[in-house]
Amino acid sequence: MVGDLVRPVIFWFRRDLRLAENPALTAAVATGRPVLPVYILDDDGDGHPHGAASLWWLDKSLRTLDADLRQCGGRLILRRGNSKAELLRLIEQTRSAHVFMNRRFEPEAFARDADLAHTLKAVGVECHGFNASLLAKPGTVLSGAGKPYRVFTPFMKALLQTLPERPATPAPDTVIVPAGPDSDDIDAWALHPSSPDWSQGFDWTPGEAGATAVLSVFIKNALGDYAVGRDIPGRRSTSRLSPHLHFGEISPRSLVWAVRASASQGHVAPAQADKFIAEIVWREFSAHLLHQFPFMSERAFRPEFDAMPWRRDPEGLTAWKSGMTGYPLVDAGMRELWATGWMHNRVRMVVASFLVKHLFIDWREGEAWFWDTLVDADLASNVQNWQWVAGSGADAAPYFRIFNPVTQGEKFDPAGHYVRRWIPELRALPDRWLHAPWTAPGTVLSEAGVKLGYTYPRPIVDHSQARARALEALKVVSSRSRDGEQNGVFMREGIVRP
Ligand SMILES: Cc1cc2nc3c(=O)[nH]c(=O)nc-3n(C[C@H](O)[C@H](O)[C@H](O)COP(=O)(O)OP(=O)(O)OC[C@H]3O[C@@H](n4cnc5c(N)ncnc54)[C@H](O)[C@@H]3O)c2cc1C
């Protein structure tokens, strides 16, 4: 009996790399037993291995988590390999009968968790699942007819009604980890890039303390003007919390509570806090949609868009990836992405629209590049936003709305701070021509040291022609959609869960 009491419980860290506001960890510690905190790097576990920038982040986040656990008297056990096999090994080593974890809701990960719970049950081990990554569990926010929402605003209304107003759960004071199970050496995992190290410009502080600090700075400096400021890429006016949220270093509930508290104490107008919460709910909408419509990471949410006759254009794709399209706002965004692992949301929309509408390249190519290069790469948010821009997603931008990269630049970067930062070769060009250098007179270009086609590319595609080509394709697709709706072929309801 005494032996049974000291059998530890396993706490499996996943997308919840934090100690505070972590319901599964709180429950594991509350058992009163020793807790074995483990992170398993399962390269192929859910069909979507981490991209390179995400591995950069994970490396630092895990080191910080280990240091945080050591502050509470614990440590982090690292394992690399198949999650199920590694957990079974740990269970055998420790004779543990309980695994605590916060659940993941992406379709493959969700299915894997269900399979794992069955396997563990068969060997007498109980799995305890919680939700730490979302405001509400997918499947719990449904329309009056009991169906998933496909439109954002009613989804947001319904979701916000489910939000509990409860105090945050602090990090545990102590985590007693049993002696014994050894950990992999994180240095041996070599997650940080080498030869070359392309991460020199990554200016982030992964980890729970980093996330909390970022939130405080955002609330102090930018929340008060968020509704307008969030669209200006040349200013630090959004939170930059997305990678922290993705890795679970901070909980979305903590964010909602924090900005509401700031509003109720009169530091910011409630409308600013509400706007920020609406963005958190977009993240939620994406996660719920992907959970309910698992096919959307591979195929168009609106099936008629699967018939889009995408172009194969390796040269255009390379120009886009390397920030050499000749459209300054697009190029600035792609260079920011490469240099920092992040890109401003307004510019993400413009570069994504440029790829799918101007170059007419399949959104999945862009989604894959973002997946590899973003530190906040997140399956649900990435897929849903790409489909939103492409017009094929739920509550998407209409296909005929084609972002004009020149007017977007003039509107959201009028003084050129953003473009000049990322495209030094255009720095001396006056504002008037900065977003369309090919329209500048020869003398202006030469005074600014710009030689089009040499120091900076000419546009790889003409805006008006590209726009006309995209609209033509849309006409074909939407006429198929009308036919489909008549004969039932393209009706969505039947393929919700293929
Ligand atoms: C083509 C495209 C791909 C994207 N891919 C990703 C991705 O892989 N991972 C990711 O986290 N976001 C993605 N986004 C959404 C958005 O661009 C980022 O979440 C945002 O830029 C992060 O910066 P922030 O933390 O400063 O945002 P803030 O403006 O401070 O917003 C706060 C939080 O709200 C959430 N959020 C904001 N906008 C959106 C949105 N449109 N969709 C979903 N959640 C949102 C994020 O979690 C963000 O951290 C993508 C957007 C586009 C257009």
Side-chain angles (χ1 to χ4, degrees):
M1 188 62 192
V2 173
D4 184 57
L5 271 178
V6 293
R7 278 163 67 176
V9 298
I10 292 176
F11 177 72
W12 184 17
F13 275 111
R14 288 123 62 86
R15 294 278 169 73
D16 54 345
L17 305 182
R18 63 176 184 267
L19 303 185
E21 192 51 41
N22 187 326
L25 180 61
T26 305
V29 171
T31 61
R33 292 171 182 268
V35 176
L36 194 73
V38 57
Y39 181 87
I40 303 168
L41 180 56
D42 188 345
D43 293 299
D44 206 20
D46 60 6
H48 300 277
H50 290 285
S54 297
L55 287 175
W56 179 93
W57 189 286
L58 184 66
D59 179 51
K60 281 92 204 144
S61 193
L62 290 176
R63 290 172 195 268
T64 312
L65 183 61
D66 181 49
D68 293 346
L69 279 165
R70 285 176 194 273
Q71 294 279 321
C72 318
R75 67 195 167 102
L76 181 62
I77 314 291
L78 298 175
R79 294 288 166 94
R80 189 168 194 164
N82 177 274
S83 305
K84 194 185 343 185
E86 290 301 328
L87 281 173
L88 285 170
R89 207 129 55 103
L90 280 169
I91 286 164
E92 200 182 301
Q93 281 172 8
T94 60
R95 295 176 51 241
S96 175
H98 298 273
V99 174
F100 287 80
M101 60 181 179
N102 289 304
R103 307 188 65 175
R104 288 186 48 193
F105 299 103
E106 302 95 326
E108 285 96 343
F110 191 77
R112 183 189 63 176
D113 284 359
D115 170 60
L116 179 79
H118 276 112
T119 306
L120 295 190
K121 199 169 176 200
V123 294
V125 176
E126 201 178 335
C127 262
H128 306 263
F130 296 79
N131 165 31
S133 59
L134 295 172
L135 297 172
K137 271 200 255 177
T140 60
V141 183
L142 299 172
S143 71
K147 296 205 163 171
Y149 286 101
R150 294 149 185 264
V151 179
F152 176 73
T153 306
F155 171 81
M156 178 163 74
K157 270 195 192 146
L159 171 78
L160 291 179
Q161 276 166 11
T162 70
L163 255 195
E165 280 300 336
R166 64 178 172 80
T169 323
D173 293 330
T174 43
V175 178
I176 299 162
V177 178
D182 53 342
S183 169
D184 285 4
D185 174 6
I186 194 163
D187 289 337
W189 284 6
L191 304 182
H192 188 91
S194 58
S195 55
D197 179 355
W198 37 257
S199 68
Q200 314 274 340
F202 280 32
D203 180 19
W204 301 96
T205 311
E208 190 169 2
T212 312
V214 166
L215 174 62
S216 308
V217 170
F218 168 69
I219 290 181
K220 188 161 161 264
N221 296 343
L223 179 60
D225 180 38
Y226 179 72
V228 172
R230 65 183 287 272
D231 268 326
I232 307 190
R235 272 180 25 202
R236 207 177 169 105
S237 46
T238 66
S239 70
R240 301 192 186 217
L241 278 162
S242 48
H244 298 285
L245 271 167
H246 171 76
F247 285 95
E249 297 166 355
I250 195 160
S251 93
R253 286 184 180 178
S254 310
L255 298 188
V256 172
W257 291 331
V259 298
R260 279 190 175 161
S262 178
S264 65
Q265 289 155 15
H267 301 312
V268 297
Q272 304 292 340
D274 287 348
K275 185 67 195 161
F276 182 74
I277 292 169
E279 296 310 313
I280 301 294
V281 179
W282 268 108
R283 171 179 182 270
E284 200 86 4
F285 188 46
S286 307
H288 286 231
L289 278 171
L290 181 62
H291 185 78
Q292 310 274 6
F293 304 97
F295 65 87
M296 69 181 273
S297 63
E298 316 255 306
R299 291 192 278 119
F301 182 81
R302 297 174 57 187
E304 63 271 24
F305 278 78
D306 278 333
M308 207 60 132
W310 300 114
R311 287 173 63 241
R312 261 193 55 71
D313 177 5
E315 275 178 28
L317 184 59
T318 303
W320 179 79
K321 286 181 180 174
S322 46
M324 294 293 278
T325 67
Y327 283 91
L329 187 62
V330 174
D331 293 342
M334 298 309 290
R335 294 184 196 188
E336 178 182 35
L337 173 61
W338 182 252
T340 68
W342 184 87
M343 193 196 304
H344 188 277
N345 180 61
R346 166 65 42 189
V347 191
R348 289 189 203 201
M349 291 193 285
V350 174
V351 304
S353 171
F354 188 85
L355 187 80
V356 294
K357 293 180 182 170
H358 285 76
L359 297 182
F360 207 61
I361 291 175
D362 193 330
W363 62 267
R364 281 159 281 224
E365 295 277 8
E367 192 263 341
W369 182 248
F370 271 30
W371 181 257
D372 197 37
T373 51
L374 278 172
V375 283
D376 65 25
D378 179 273
L379 188 65
S381 290
N382 205 21
V383 160
Q384 125 76 20
N385 276 286
W386 272 97
Q387 293 224 32
W388 185 88
V389 173
S392 62
D395 206 0
Y399 192 84
F400 54 78
R401 190 178 298 155
I402 296 178
F403 284 99
N404 178 331
V406 175
T407 52
Q408 286 284 310
E410 289 165 351
K411 185 166 176 197
F412 296 110
D413 188 33
H417 296 307
Y418 182 74
V419 160
R420 287 198 177 87
R421 172 158 187 217
W422 295 109
I423 312 190
E425 60 268 39
L426 295 181
R427 228 167 242 170
L429 206 57
D431 293 352
R432 180 170 166 200
W433 291 286
L434 187 64
H435 293 287
W438 63 94
T439 61
T443 49
V444 172
L445 287 172
S446 61
E447 269 169 34
V450 178
K451 198 166 175 205
L452 288 178
Y454 293 90
T455 61
Y456 183 70
R458 292 179 189 285
I460 58 168
V461 65
D462 174 77
H463 171 69
S464 310
Q465 286 171 10
R467 188 169 186 282
R469 176 173 65 189
L471 291 177
E472 187 55 34
L474 173 71
K475 249 197 290 174
V476 176
V477 163
S478 52
S479 70
R480 285 189 193 168
S481 157
R482 270 196 302 280
D483 295 349
E485 274 163 23
Q486 276 157 20
N487 65 24
V489 172
F490 292 100
M491 294 296 278
R492 247 177 287 154
E493 299 299 334
I495 61 150
V496 165
R497 283 188 181 272

